Amino acid sequence: MAAAQSLSNPSSTTSLISQSRNQSKPTSPPSFLKPHCLQSPWLGFKISFQPSKTTRYLPNHRPITATISLSLPTSKTDRVASAGKVPKWSRRAIKSFAMAELEARKLKYPTTGTESLLMGILIEGINLAAKFLRANGITLFKVRDETVKLLGKGDMFFFSPEHPPLTEDAQRALDWAVDEKLKSGGDGEITTTHLLLGIWSEVESPGHKILAALGFNDAKSKELTSMSSEPESVDG
């Protein structure tokens, strides 16, 4: 009976249709999802807060892998090509180079110098050059102390780049290591011994001065060279 009355009454039918339309409209988002603004006379500026967007989980996302590589100095490309073979750096030399960059960042230095290369060799620890240095009383802590004395401390608010660029003397030390390997020939790799002797060859570099202050000299350099030429002293 009531249904018949509502159908016979046009005004009631119109009100029912309008109610159903209002119910089908999307509701406004709750207040905590709306952007808000915070304005304070003490702050002197206005801060806007926007609701964060949700991101979809990617099940097939592959983890990022880091690869450490040490390229040959560009200035030696012609000589390497003429030699017929590209000398490779040993894995311990590559790790020493990576540790040198990290040490430069820890000390908040803007570049990777010969002093950082020296510390990188000692941090790697198990290579022939590091063992020889420790046997002669040259340790990482002593080198680090001498580095701070010579170059000072970095600014505590300075952020070093992810890969601090090489200084000119550090680049020349790497060039020397490559040249020495090319002169010696053979199928071996460029080792940390080549790297350490390259640092020693740069007389005006911080690395050379630190080594000299800790007792390293030309006689020890020749001794290390002779040790590295022995078959059992492989620096892998």
Side-chain angles (χ1 to χ4, degrees), residues 96-97 99-101 103-105 107 109-121 147 151 164-171 173-174 195 199 202 205-208 210:
S96 298
F97 183 83
M99 293 297 102
E101 287 187 333
E103 192 66 20
R105 294 181 63 192
L107 293 174
Y109 289 162
T111 55
T112 301
T114 52
E115 73 288 341
S116 298
L117 294 176
L118 179 57
M119 287 185 282
I121 292 173
T147 299
L151 302 178
L166 290 168
T167 59
E168 292 183 3
D169 50 11
Q171 181 64 61
L174 295 180
L195 184 57
I199 295 170
E202 289 297 314
S205 69
H208 180 99
I210 292 169

PDB file of all heavy atoms in Angstrom, residues 96-97 99-101 103-105 107 109-121 147 151 164-171 173-174 195 199 202 205-208 210:
ATOM      1  N   SER A  96      93.099  -2.654  -1.856  1.00  0.00           N
ATOM      2  CA  SER A  96      93.870  -1.603  -1.196  1.00  0.00           C
ATOM      3  C   SER A  96      93.473  -0.233  -1.724  1.00  0.00           C
ATOM      4  O   SER A  96      93.366   0.732  -0.951  1.00  0.00           O
ATOM      5  CB  SER A  96      95.372  -1.840  -1.416  1.00  0.00           C
ATOM      6  OG  SER A  96      95.790  -3.060  -0.851  1.00  0.00           O
ATOM      7  N   PHE A  97      93.247  -0.153  -3.034  1.00  0.00           N
ATOM      8  CA  PHE A  97      92.816   1.116  -3.624  1.00  0.00           C
ATOM      9  C   PHE A  97      91.433   1.523  -3.097  1.00  0.00           C
ATOM     10  O   PHE A  97      91.191   2.695  -2.780  1.00  0.00           O
ATOM     11  CB  PHE A  97      92.783   0.997  -5.147  1.00  0.00           C
ATOM     12  CG  PHE A  97      92.415   2.275  -5.845  1.00  0.00           C
ATOM     13  CD1 PHE A  97      93.371   3.239  -6.095  1.00  0.00           C
ATOM     14  CD2 PHE A  97      91.116   2.501  -6.257  1.00  0.00           C
ATOM     15  CE1 PHE A  97      93.033   4.421  -6.731  1.00  0.00           C
ATOM     16  CE2 PHE A  97      90.772   3.679  -6.902  1.00  0.00           C
ATOM     17  CZ  PHE A  97      91.732   4.644  -7.143  1.00  0.00           C
ATOM     18  N   MET A  99      90.130   0.647  -0.223  1.00  0.00           N
ATOM     19  CA  MET A  99      90.300   1.039   1.172  1.00  0.00           C
ATOM     20  C   MET A  99      90.941   2.423   1.296  1.00  0.00           C
ATOM     21  O   MET A  99      90.673   3.162   2.243  1.00  0.00           O
ATOM     22  CB  MET A  99      91.161   0.004   1.905  1.00  0.00           C
ATOM     23  CG  MET A  99      90.520  -1.355   2.074  1.00  0.00           C
ATOM     24  SD  MET A  99      89.007  -1.319   3.092  1.00  0.00           S
ATOM     25  CE  MET A  99      87.743  -1.399   1.797  1.00  0.00           C
ATOM     26  N   ALA A 100      91.774   2.782   0.323  1.00  0.00           N
ATOM     27  CA  ALA A 100      92.380   4.115   0.317  1.00  0.00           C
ATOM     28  C   ALA A 100      91.313   5.193   0.131  1.00  0.00           C
ATOM     29  O   ALA A 100      91.339   6.233   0.812  1.00  0.00           O
ATOM     30  CB  ALA A 100      93.427   4.202  -0.789  1.00  0.00           C
ATOM     31  N   GLU A 101      90.387   4.959  -0.783  1.00  0.00           N
ATOM     32  CA  GLU A 101      89.287   5.912  -0.965  1.00  0.00           C
ATOM     33  C   GLU A 101      88.459   6.032   0.309  1.00  0.00           C
ATOM     34  O   GLU A 101      88.064   7.134   0.714  1.00  0.00           O
ATOM     35  CB  GLU A 101      88.393   5.471  -2.120  1.00  0.00           C
ATOM     36  CG  GLU A 101      89.000   5.664  -3.492  1.00  0.00           C
ATOM     37  CD  GLU A 101      88.003   5.359  -4.593  1.00  0.00           C
ATOM     38  OE1 GLU A 101      87.081   4.552  -4.372  1.00  0.00           O
ATOM     39  OE2 GLU A 101      88.156   5.930  -5.685  1.00  0.00           O
ATOM     40  N   GLU A 103      89.430   5.469   3.383  1.00  0.00           N
ATOM     41  CA  GLU A 103      90.204   6.146   4.424  1.00  0.00           C
ATOM     42  C   GLU A 103      90.223   7.649   4.186  1.00  0.00           C
ATOM     43  O   GLU A 103      90.157   8.440   5.141  1.00  0.00           O
ATOM     44  CB  GLU A 103      91.627   5.583   4.459  1.00  0.00           C
ATOM     45  CG  GLU A 103      92.424   5.996   5.675  1.00  0.00           C
ATOM     46  CD  GLU A 103      91.876   5.446   6.975  1.00  0.00           C
ATOM     47  OE1 GLU A 103      91.111   4.455   6.941  1.00  0.00           O
ATOM     48  OE2 GLU A 103      92.204   6.006   8.036  1.00  0.00           O
ATOM     49  N   ALA A 104      90.318   8.063   2.932  1.00  0.00           N
ATOM     50  CA  ALA A 104      90.265   9.495   2.615  1.00  0.00           C
ATOM     51  C   ALA A 104      88.919  10.088   3.032  1.00  0.00           C
ATOM     52  O   ALA A 104      88.854  11.215   3.554  1.00  0.00           O
ATOM     53  CB  ALA A 104      90.508   9.711   1.120  1.00  0.00           C
ATOM     54  N   ARG A 105      87.846   9.346   2.843  1.00  0.00           N
ATOM     55  CA  ARG A 105      86.528   9.819   3.257  1.00  0.00           C
ATOM     56  C   ARG A 105      86.404   9.872   4.775  1.00  0.00           C
ATOM     57  O   ARG A 105      85.802  10.800   5.324  1.00  0.00           O
ATOM     58  CB  ARG A 105      85.444   8.913   2.674  1.00  0.00           C
ATOM     59  CG  ARG A 105      85.342   8.953   1.156  1.00  0.00           C
ATOM     60  CD  ARG A 105      84.238   8.047   0.656  1.00  0.00           C
ATOM     61  NE  ARG A 105      82.941   8.497   1.137  1.00  0.00           N
ATOM     62  CZ  ARG A 105      81.817   7.776   1.051  1.00  0.00           C
ATOM     63  NH1 ARG A 105      81.863   6.577   0.513  1.00  0.00           N
ATOM     64  NH2 ARG A 105      80.693   8.256   1.503  1.00  0.00           N
ATOM     65  N   LEU A 107      88.771  10.444   6.894  1.00  0.00           N
ATOM     66  CA  LEU A 107      89.535  11.601   7.359  1.00  0.00           C
ATOM     67  C   LEU A 107      88.984  12.911   6.805  1.00  0.00           C
ATOM     68  O   LEU A 107      89.541  13.971   7.077  1.00  0.00           O
ATOM     69  CB  LEU A 107      91.007  11.447   6.968  1.00  0.00           C
ATOM     70  CG  LEU A 107      91.767  10.318   7.665  1.00  0.00           C
ATOM     71  CD1 LEU A 107      93.171  10.174   7.084  1.00  0.00           C
ATOM     72  CD2 LEU A 107      91.838  10.562   9.169  1.00  0.00           C
ATOM     73  N   TYR A 109      88.971  14.086   3.739  1.00  0.00           N
ATOM     74  CA  TYR A 109      89.835  14.724   2.761  1.00  0.00           C
ATOM     75  C   TYR A 109      89.109  14.779   1.419  1.00  0.00           C
ATOM     76  O   TYR A 109      88.384  13.845   1.059  1.00  0.00           O
ATOM     77  CB  TYR A 109      91.148  13.961   2.612  1.00  0.00           C
ATOM     78  CG  TYR A 109      92.075  14.084   3.800  1.00  0.00           C
ATOM     79  CD1 TYR A 109      93.108  13.183   4.002  1.00  0.00           C
ATOM     80  CD2 TYR A 109      91.922  15.106   4.741  1.00  0.00           C
ATOM     81  CE1 TYR A 109      93.964  13.286   5.090  1.00  0.00           C
ATOM     82  CE2 TYR A 109      92.764  15.230   5.828  1.00  0.00           C
ATOM     83  CZ  TYR A 109      93.780  14.315   5.995  1.00  0.00           C
ATOM     84  OH  TYR A 109      94.621  14.419   7.076  1.00  0.00           O
ATOM     85  N   PRO A 110      89.310  15.825   0.637  1.00  0.00           N
ATOM     86  CA  PRO A 110      88.593  15.931  -0.644  1.00  0.00           C
ATOM     87  C   PRO A 110      89.188  15.071  -1.748  1.00  0.00           C
ATOM     88  O   PRO A 110      88.548  14.858  -2.778  1.00  0.00           O
ATOM     89  CB  PRO A 110      88.732  17.425  -0.993  1.00  0.00           C
ATOM     90  CG  PRO A 110      89.991  17.853  -0.307  1.00  0.00           C
ATOM     91  CD  PRO A 110      90.082  17.043   0.945  1.00  0.00           C
ATOM     92  N   THR A 111      90.423  14.588  -1.554  1.00  0.00           N
ATOM     93  CA  THR A 111      91.098  13.800  -2.587  1.00  0.00           C
ATOM     94  C   THR A 111      91.722  12.546  -1.977  1.00  0.00           C
ATOM     95  O   THR A 111      91.878  12.434  -0.761  1.00  0.00           O
ATOM     96  CB  THR A 111      92.206  14.627  -3.275  1.00  0.00           C
ATOM     97  OG1 THR A 111      93.104  15.127  -2.261  1.00  0.00           O
ATOM     98  CG2 THR A 111      91.619  15.788  -4.061  1.00  0.00           C
ATOM     99  N   THR A 112      92.094  11.616  -2.857  1.00  0.00           N
ATOM    100  CA  THR A 112      92.819  10.414  -2.452  1.00  0.00           C
ATOM    101  C   THR A 112      94.281  10.607  -2.814  1.00  0.00           C
ATOM    102  O   THR A 112      94.642  10.612  -3.996  1.00  0.00           O
ATOM    103  CB  THR A 112      92.261   9.169  -3.163  1.00  0.00           C
ATOM    104  OG1 THR A 112      90.876   9.027  -2.852  1.00  0.00           O
ATOM    105  CG2 THR A 112      92.992   7.907  -2.713  1.00  0.00           C
ATOM    106  N   GLY A 113      95.121  10.798  -1.801  1.00  0.00           N
ATOM    107  CA  GLY A 113      96.540  11.044  -2.029  1.00  0.00           C
ATOM    108  C   GLY A 113      97.381   9.812  -1.769  1.00  0.00           C
ATOM    109  O   GLY A 113      96.873   8.722  -1.469  1.00  0.00           O
ATOM    110  N   THR A 114      98.703   9.991  -1.869  1.00  0.00           N
ATOM    111  CA  THR A 114      99.618   8.876  -1.631  1.00  0.00           C
ATOM    112  C   THR A 114      99.544   8.390  -0.190  1.00  0.00           C
ATOM    113  O   THR A 114      99.768   7.212   0.083  1.00  0.00           O
ATOM    114  CB  THR A 114     101.055   9.300  -1.967  1.00  0.00           C
ATOM    115  OG1 THR A 114     101.371  10.518  -1.273  1.00  0.00           O
ATOM    116  CG2 THR A 114     101.224   9.517  -3.459  1.00  0.00           C
ATOM    117  N   GLU A 115      99.216   9.304   0.734  1.00  0.00           N
ATOM    118  CA  GLU A 115      99.061   8.888   2.129  1.00  0.00           C
ATOM    119  C   GLU A 115      97.869   7.952   2.293  1.00  0.00           C
ATOM    120  O   GLU A 115      97.924   6.984   3.060  1.00  0.00           O
ATOM    121  CB  GLU A 115      98.922  10.122   3.043  1.00  0.00           C
ATOM    122  CG  GLU A 115      97.599  10.855   2.960  1.00  0.00           C
ATOM    123  CD  GLU A 115      97.393  11.647   1.681  1.00  0.00           C
ATOM    124  OE1 GLU A 115      98.393  11.933   0.985  1.00  0.00           O
ATOM    125  OE2 GLU A 115      96.241  11.984   1.387  1.00  0.00           O
ATOM    126  N   SER A 116      96.796   8.205   1.548  1.00  0.00           N
ATOM    127  CA  SER A 116      95.631   7.323   1.594  1.00  0.00           C
ATOM    128  C   SER A 116      95.935   5.975   0.939  1.00  0.00           C
ATOM    129  O   SER A 116      95.489   4.929   1.423  1.00  0.00           O
ATOM    130  CB  SER A 116      94.439   7.990   0.894  1.00  0.00           C
ATOM    131  OG  SER A 116      94.065   9.184   1.553  1.00  0.00           O
ATOM    132  N   LEU A 117      96.695   5.996  -0.162  1.00  0.00           N
ATOM    133  CA  LEU A 117      97.094   4.738  -0.792  1.00  0.00           C
ATOM    134  C   LEU A 117      97.931   3.898   0.163  1.00  0.00           C
ATOM    135  O   LEU A 117      97.777   2.670   0.231  1.00  0.00           O
ATOM    136  CB  LEU A 117      97.883   5.018  -2.074  1.00  0.00           C
ATOM    137  CG  LEU A 117      97.123   5.694  -3.224  1.00  0.00           C
ATOM    138  CD1 LEU A 117      98.075   5.980  -4.380  1.00  0.00           C
ATOM    139  CD2 LEU A 117      95.959   4.832  -3.699  1.00  0.00           C
ATOM    140  N   LEU A 118      98.805   4.560   0.915  1.00  0.00           N
ATOM    141  CA  LEU A 118      99.633   3.847   1.886  1.00  0.00           C
ATOM    142  C   LEU A 118      98.769   3.220   2.975  1.00  0.00           C
ATOM    143  O   LEU A 118      98.975   2.053   3.359  1.00  0.00           O
ATOM    144  CB  LEU A 118     100.651   4.816   2.488  1.00  0.00           C
ATOM    145  CG  LEU A 118     101.597   4.269   3.554  1.00  0.00           C
ATOM    146  CD1 LEU A 118     102.383   3.083   3.028  1.00  0.00           C
ATOM    147  CD2 LEU A 118     102.533   5.373   4.052  1.00  0.00           C
ATOM    148  N   MET A 119      97.807   3.970   3.470  1.00  0.00           N
ATOM    149  CA  MET A 119      96.904   3.421   4.497  1.00  0.00           C
ATOM    150  C   MET A 119      96.033   2.315   3.931  1.00  0.00           C
ATOM    151  O   MET A 119      95.722   1.345   4.622  1.00  0.00           O
ATOM    152  CB  MET A 119      96.048   4.547   5.085  1.00  0.00           C
ATOM    153  CG  MET A 119      96.817   5.467   6.007  1.00  0.00           C
ATOM    154  SD  MET A 119      95.782   6.722   6.820  1.00  0.00           S
ATOM    155  CE  MET A 119      95.578   7.897   5.478  1.00  0.00           C
ATOM    156  N   GLY A 120      95.638   2.423   2.671  1.00  0.00           N
ATOM    157  CA  GLY A 120      94.844   1.369   2.043  1.00  0.00           C
ATOM    158  C   GLY A 120      95.598   0.050   1.982  1.00  0.00           C
ATOM    159  O   GLY A 120      95.014  -1.017   2.201  1.00  0.00           O
ATOM    160  N   ILE A 121      96.902   0.113   1.695  1.00  0.00           N
ATOM    161  CA  ILE A 121      97.727  -1.100   1.674  1.00  0.00           C
ATOM    162  C   ILE A 121      97.752  -1.748   3.053  1.00  0.00           C
ATOM    163  O   ILE A 121      97.622  -2.973   3.196  1.00  0.00           O
ATOM    164  CB  ILE A 121      99.153  -0.749   1.206  1.00  0.00           C
ATOM    165  CG1 ILE A 121      99.143  -0.340  -0.264  1.00  0.00           C
ATOM    166  CG2 ILE A 121     100.097  -1.932   1.419  1.00  0.00           C
ATOM    167  CD1 ILE A 121     100.478   0.197  -0.773  1.00  0.00           C
ATOM    168  N   THR A 147      99.959  11.227   9.132  1.00  0.00           N
ATOM    169  CA  THR A 147      99.142  11.909   8.125  1.00  0.00           C
ATOM    170  C   THR A 147      98.463  13.133   8.717  1.00  0.00           C
ATOM    171  O   THR A 147      98.452  14.221   8.110  1.00  0.00           O
ATOM    172  CB  THR A 147      98.085  10.943   7.564  1.00  0.00           C
ATOM    173  OG1 THR A 147      98.732   9.835   6.936  1.00  0.00           O
ATOM    174  CG2 THR A 147      97.192  11.644   6.546  1.00  0.00           C
ATOM    175  N   LEU A 151      99.210  16.741   7.248  1.00  0.00           N
ATOM    176  CA  LEU A 151      98.140  17.374   6.459  1.00  0.00           C
ATOM    177  C   LEU A 151      97.051  18.010   7.303  1.00  0.00           C
ATOM    178  O   LEU A 151      96.214  18.749   6.771  1.00  0.00           O
ATOM    179  CB  LEU A 151      97.509  16.337   5.523  1.00  0.00           C
ATOM    180  CG  LEU A 151      98.453  15.654   4.533  1.00  0.00           C
ATOM    181  CD1 LEU A 151      97.702  14.626   3.712  1.00  0.00           C
ATOM    182  CD2 LEU A 151      99.129  16.671   3.628  1.00  0.00           C
ATOM    183  N   PRO A 164      86.719  10.004  -3.860  1.00  0.00           N
ATOM    184  CA  PRO A 164      87.594  11.188  -3.905  1.00  0.00           C
ATOM    185  C   PRO A 164      88.617  11.055  -5.030  1.00  0.00           C
ATOM    186  O   PRO A 164      89.288  10.029  -5.154  1.00  0.00           O
ATOM    187  CB  PRO A 164      88.278  11.169  -2.522  1.00  0.00           C
ATOM    188  CG  PRO A 164      87.384  10.352  -1.656  1.00  0.00           C
ATOM    189  CD  PRO A 164      86.772   9.330  -2.551  1.00  0.00           C
ATOM    190  N   PRO A 165      88.743  12.061  -5.875  1.00  0.00           N
ATOM    191  CA  PRO A 165      89.668  11.956  -7.011  1.00  0.00           C
ATOM    192  C   PRO A 165      91.122  11.861  -6.547  1.00  0.00           C
ATOM    193  O   PRO A 165      91.485  12.309  -5.469  1.00  0.00           O
ATOM    194  CB  PRO A 165      89.414  13.250  -7.792  1.00  0.00           C
ATOM    195  CG  PRO A 165      88.849  14.202  -6.787  1.00  0.00           C
ATOM    196  CD  PRO A 165      88.056  13.363  -5.828  1.00  0.00           C
ATOM    197  N   LEU A 166      91.939  11.264  -7.390  1.00  0.00           N
ATOM    198  CA  LEU A 166      93.354  11.115  -7.082  1.00  0.00           C
ATOM    199  C   LEU A 166      94.080  12.451  -7.185  1.00  0.00           C
ATOM    200  O   LEU A 166      93.774  13.282  -8.054  1.00  0.00           O
ATOM    201  CB  LEU A 166      94.002  10.121  -8.044  1.00  0.00           C
ATOM    202  CG  LEU A 166      93.624   8.646  -7.901  1.00  0.00           C
ATOM    203  CD1 LEU A 166      94.139   7.866  -9.109  1.00  0.00           C
ATOM    204  CD2 LEU A 166      94.177   8.059  -6.621  1.00  0.00           C
ATOM    205  N   THR A 167      95.044  12.650  -6.309  1.00  0.00           N
ATOM    206  CA  THR A 167      95.934  13.791  -6.444  1.00  0.00           C
ATOM    207  C   THR A 167      96.931  13.499  -7.573  1.00  0.00           C
ATOM    208  O   THR A 167      97.045  12.368  -8.050  1.00  0.00           O
ATOM    209  CB  THR A 167      96.685  14.052  -5.133  1.00  0.00           C
ATOM    210  OG1 THR A 167      97.449  12.879  -4.791  1.00  0.00           O
ATOM    211  CG2 THR A 167      95.720  14.355  -4.000  1.00  0.00           C
ATOM    212  N   GLU A 168      97.657  14.527  -7.973  1.00  0.00           N
ATOM    213  CA  GLU A 168      98.601  14.347  -9.073  1.00  0.00           C
ATOM    214  C   GLU A 168      99.718  13.368  -8.701  1.00  0.00           C
ATOM    215  O   GLU A 168     100.107  12.524  -9.516  1.00  0.00           O
ATOM    216  CB  GLU A 168      99.191  15.703  -9.473  1.00  0.00           C
ATOM    217  CG  GLU A 168      98.180  16.649 -10.114  1.00  0.00           C
ATOM    218  CD  GLU A 168      98.825  17.937 -10.564  1.00  0.00           C
ATOM    219  OE1 GLU A 168     100.071  18.055 -10.433  1.00  0.00           O
ATOM    220  OE2 GLU A 168      98.104  18.827 -11.050  1.00  0.00           O
ATOM    221  N   ASP A 169     100.218  13.470  -7.464  1.00  0.00           N
ATOM    222  CA  ASP A 169     101.291  12.550  -7.081  1.00  0.00           C
ATOM    223  C   ASP A 169     100.778  11.117  -6.924  1.00  0.00           C
ATOM    224  O   ASP A 169     101.500  10.153  -7.208  1.00  0.00           O
ATOM    225  CB  ASP A 169     102.000  13.020  -5.802  1.00  0.00           C
ATOM    226  CG  ASP A 169     101.029  13.357  -4.685  1.00  0.00           C
ATOM    227  OD1 ASP A 169      99.841  13.032  -4.821  1.00  0.00           O
ATOM    228  OD2 ASP A 169     101.463  13.940  -3.678  1.00  0.00           O
ATOM    229  N   ALA A 170      99.523  10.949  -6.497  1.00  0.00           N
ATOM    230  CA  ALA A 170      98.955   9.606  -6.415  1.00  0.00           C
ATOM    231  C   ALA A 170      98.771   9.014  -7.808  1.00  0.00           C
ATOM    232  O   ALA A 170      99.011   7.813  -8.015  1.00  0.00           O
ATOM    233  CB  ALA A 170      97.624   9.646  -5.670  1.00  0.00           C
ATOM    234  N   GLN A 171      98.353   9.844  -8.764  1.00  0.00           N
ATOM    235  CA  GLN A 171      98.216   9.363 -10.147  1.00  0.00           C
ATOM    236  C   GLN A 171      99.577   8.961 -10.714  1.00  0.00           C
ATOM    237  O   GLN A 171      99.709   7.939 -11.395  1.00  0.00           O
ATOM    238  CB  GLN A 171      97.584  10.454 -11.012  1.00  0.00           C
ATOM    239  CG  GLN A 171      97.369  10.075 -12.470  1.00  0.00           C
ATOM    240  CD  GLN A 171      96.376   8.946 -12.638  1.00  0.00           C
ATOM    241  OE1 GLN A 171      95.226   9.076 -12.250  1.00  0.00           O
ATOM    242  NE2 GLN A 171      96.822   7.840 -13.201  1.00  0.00           N
ATOM    243  N   ALA A 173     102.091   7.896  -8.968  1.00  0.00           N
ATOM    244  CA  ALA A 173     102.483   6.649  -8.299  1.00  0.00           C
ATOM    245  C   ALA A 173     101.854   5.439  -8.991  1.00  0.00           C
ATOM    246  O   ALA A 173     102.512   4.398  -9.177  1.00  0.00           O
ATOM    247  CB  ALA A 173     102.074   6.699  -6.828  1.00  0.00           C
ATOM    248  N   LEU A 174     100.590   5.562  -9.404  1.00  0.00           N
ATOM    249  CA  LEU A 174      99.945   4.474 -10.146  1.00  0.00           C
ATOM    250  C   LEU A 174     100.589   4.295 -11.510  1.00  0.00           C
ATOM    251  O   LEU A 174     100.766   3.160 -11.982  1.00  0.00           O
ATOM    252  CB  LEU A 174      98.451   4.765 -10.295  1.00  0.00           C
ATOM    253  CG  LEU A 174      97.611   4.804  -9.012  1.00  0.00           C
ATOM    254  CD1 LEU A 174      96.158   5.115  -9.352  1.00  0.00           C
ATOM    255  CD2 LEU A 174      97.695   3.496  -8.265  1.00  0.00           C
ATOM    256  N   LEU A 195     102.614  -0.838  -6.075  1.00  0.00           N
ATOM    257  CA  LEU A 195     101.923   0.362  -5.593  1.00  0.00           C
ATOM    258  C   LEU A 195     102.727   1.070  -4.505  1.00  0.00           C
ATOM    259  O   LEU A 195     102.881   2.300  -4.523  1.00  0.00           O
ATOM    260  CB  LEU A 195     100.535  -0.029  -5.067  1.00  0.00           C
ATOM    261  CG  LEU A 195      99.618   1.111  -4.609  1.00  0.00           C
ATOM    262  CD1 LEU A 195      99.408   2.120  -5.718  1.00  0.00           C
ATOM    263  CD2 LEU A 195      98.282   0.545  -4.152  1.00  0.00           C
ATOM    264  N   ILE A 199     104.548   4.781  -4.601  1.00  0.00           N
ATOM    265  CA  ILE A 199     104.413   5.851  -3.602  1.00  0.00           C
ATOM    266  C   ILE A 199     105.799   6.361  -3.182  1.00  0.00           C
ATOM    267  O   ILE A 199     106.025   7.569  -3.062  1.00  0.00           O
ATOM    268  CB  ILE A 199     103.639   5.331  -2.372  1.00  0.00           C
ATOM    269  CG1 ILE A 199     102.202   4.976  -2.770  1.00  0.00           C
ATOM    270  CG2 ILE A 199     103.632   6.363  -1.250  1.00  0.00           C
ATOM    271  CD1 ILE A 199     101.432   4.233  -1.687  1.00  0.00           C
ATOM    272  N   GLU A 202     107.614   8.918  -5.475  1.00  0.00           N
ATOM    273  CA  GLU A 202     107.183  10.314  -5.467  1.00  0.00           C
ATOM    274  C   GLU A 202     107.777  11.013  -4.238  1.00  0.00           C
ATOM    275  O   GLU A 202     107.165  11.064  -3.168  1.00  0.00           O
ATOM    276  CB  GLU A 202     105.657  10.396  -5.461  1.00  0.00           C
ATOM    277  CG  GLU A 202     105.004   9.982  -6.750  1.00  0.00           C
ATOM    278  CD  GLU A 202     105.396  10.910  -7.888  1.00  0.00           C
ATOM    279  OE1 GLU A 202     105.368  12.145  -7.700  1.00  0.00           O
ATOM    280  OE2 GLU A 202     105.751  10.392  -8.968  1.00  0.00           O
ATOM    281  N   SER A 205     105.842  13.698  -2.282  1.00  0.00           N
ATOM    282  CA  SER A 205     104.467  13.362  -1.900  1.00  0.00           C
ATOM    283  C   SER A 205     104.356  13.132  -0.401  1.00  0.00           C
ATOM    284  O   SER A 205     105.344  12.780   0.259  1.00  0.00           O
ATOM    285  CB  SER A 205     104.003  12.114  -2.650  1.00  0.00           C
ATOM    286  OG  SER A 205     104.708  10.973  -2.193  1.00  0.00           O
ATOM    287  N   PRO A 206     103.167  13.316   0.170  1.00  0.00           N
ATOM    288  CA  PRO A 206     102.976  13.025   1.600  1.00  0.00           C
ATOM    289  C   PRO A 206     103.284  11.580   1.956  1.00  0.00           C
ATOM    290  O   PRO A 206     103.830  11.298   3.025  1.00  0.00           O
ATOM    291  CB  PRO A 206     101.501  13.360   1.830  1.00  0.00           C
ATOM    292  CG  PRO A 206     101.147  14.320   0.758  1.00  0.00           C
ATOM    293  CD  PRO A 206     101.961  13.909  -0.427  1.00  0.00           C
ATOM    294  N   GLY A 207     102.940  10.637   1.063  1.00  0.00           N
ATOM    295  CA  GLY A 207     103.200   9.232   1.345  1.00  0.00           C
ATOM    296  C   GLY A 207     104.681   8.945   1.511  1.00  0.00           C
ATOM    297  O   GLY A 207     105.082   8.204   2.418  1.00  0.00           O
ATOM    298  N   HIS A 208     105.506   9.518   0.647  1.00  0.00           N
ATOM    299  CA  HIS A 208     106.959   9.337   0.757  1.00  0.00           C
ATOM    300  C   HIS A 208     107.479   9.936   2.058  1.00  0.00           C
ATOM    301  O   HIS A 208     108.304   9.320   2.758  1.00  0.00           O
ATOM    302  CB  HIS A 208     107.656   9.989  -0.441  1.00  0.00           C
ATOM    303  CG  HIS A 208     109.152   9.849  -0.422  1.00  0.00           C
ATOM    304  ND1 HIS A 208     109.814   8.884  -1.156  1.00  0.00           N
ATOM    305  CD2 HIS A 208     110.113  10.548   0.246  1.00  0.00           C
ATOM    306  CE1 HIS A 208     111.107   8.989  -0.940  1.00  0.00           C
ATOM    307  NE2 HIS A 208     111.325  10.003  -0.091  1.00  0.00           N
ATOM    308  N   ILE A 210     105.903  10.428   4.845  1.00  0.00           N
ATOM    309  CA  ILE A 210     105.455   9.632   5.991  1.00  0.00           C
ATOM    310  C   ILE A 210     106.283   8.360   6.117  1.00  0.00           C
ATOM    311  O   ILE A 210     106.706   7.976   7.216  1.00  0.00           O
ATOM    312  CB  ILE A 210     103.951   9.309   5.849  1.00  0.00           C
ATOM    313  CG1 ILE A 210     103.130  10.592   5.996  1.00  0.00           C
ATOM    314  CG2 ILE A 210     103.509   8.281   6.887  1.00  0.00           C
ATOM    315  CD1 ILE A 210     101.671  10.437   5.606  1.00  0.00           C
TER     316      ILE A 210
END
